[in-house]
Amino acid sequence: KHFTHAGSWDSEQREQRLRAWRGLDWTLRMYSALYCLACAFYNYLFLVNLAAADSVKWIVGLGAVVSVRLIVIPATCAVAIALVLNVVVAKRPCLFQDGP
């Protein structure tokens, strides 16, 4: 259904529309939770079926990817932005001064 604009909704129409939206929200949340549980179960089955040597390699690889994405890339971006701003401030200090 598309959004319907009504200039003058009475309280019953408004509550009926809100109830329908809440029902759709609940349905979406339940399907999303079910999907997440299915994905977690699939990953669990994958890890259970790995050999011991392969599981260690997989966990080390996962740790490397996670650390690069959560630590290395953000830290590199922060340092690069700080360096660029320091160069800009050194070259053009008038850009960061208050007043005319």
Side-chain angles (χ1 to χ4, degrees):
K1 294 180 179 180
H2 297 289
F3 179 76
T4 306
H5 176 72
S8 58
W9 288 23
D10 61 2
S11 62
E12 183 180 329
Q13 289 176 327
R14 182 175 177 270
E15 288 301 319
Q16 183 181 10
R17 180 63 59 135
L18 288 174
R19 217 173 311 125
W21 285 349
R22 288 184 189 118
L24 290 173
D25 287 345
W26 184 87
T27 303
L28 179 64
R29 286 185 187 131
M30 290 302 111
Y31 278 118
S32 298
L34 182 62
Y35 178 75
C36 288
L37 286 173
C39 288
F41 185 67
Y42 179 81
N43 285 329
Y44 171 75
L45 290 178
F46 173 76
L47 291 174
V48 166
N49 287 321
L50 285 177
D54 291 337
S55 65
V56 171
K57 290 178 186 176
W58 193 84
I59 291 173
V60 168
L62 177 67
V65 168
V66 168
S67 66
V68 165
R69 293 224 174 152
L70 294 179
I71 298 169
V72 175
I73 292 174
T76 304
C77 290
V79 169
I81 290 170
L83 289 174
V84 168
L85 284 176
N86 280 330
V87 169
V88 170
V89 168
K91 295 287 183 181
R92 296 187 181 236
C94 63
L95 292 176
F96 297 96
Q97 293 176 351
D98 290 337

